[in-house]
Amino acid sequence: MTEELYKVGDIVPKAGRYICTVCGFIIEYSDAHINNGVKFSECTLCRAGTEDGPKKPYEDFWKAID
């Protein structure tokens, strides 16, 4: 079974913690975020999800952890 990964612009599917698979940065989303339809953004640490980062905006790199 493969792990589901998410990219910039994908809607965060559920509350919880997500890790950048490139650098290990962890971000947490609450139920309030989910209710507001929050989307994944670039990693603020390694800039994955940007044109200058190790992963481009169209590449998956966020993974749910818990």
Side-chain angles (χ1 to χ4, degrees):
M1 185 172 180
T2 60
E3 297 175 324
E4 189 162 7
L5 297 176
Y6 305 94
K7 65 182 176 293
V8 171
D10 286 346
I11 294 175
V12 179
K14 64 178 182 152
R17 297 183 320 148
Y18 294 82
I19 189 168
C20 173
T21 59
V22 176
C23 71
F25 178 75
I26 296 173
I27 191 164
E28 186 165 355
Y29 293 102
S30 68
D31 287 329
H33 292 118
I34 304 309
N35 292 339
N36 287 323
V38 70
K39 296 180 181 181
F40 288 102
S41 62
E42 69 275 355
C43 177
T44 57
L45 187 59
C46 73
R47 300 188 37 83
T50 68
E51 288 300 325
D52 298 327
K55 294 277 188 176
K56 304 302 178 215
Y58 55 84
E59 295 181 287
D60 301 335
F61 63 93
W62 288 113
K63 179 176 80 169
I65 58 172
D66 280 329

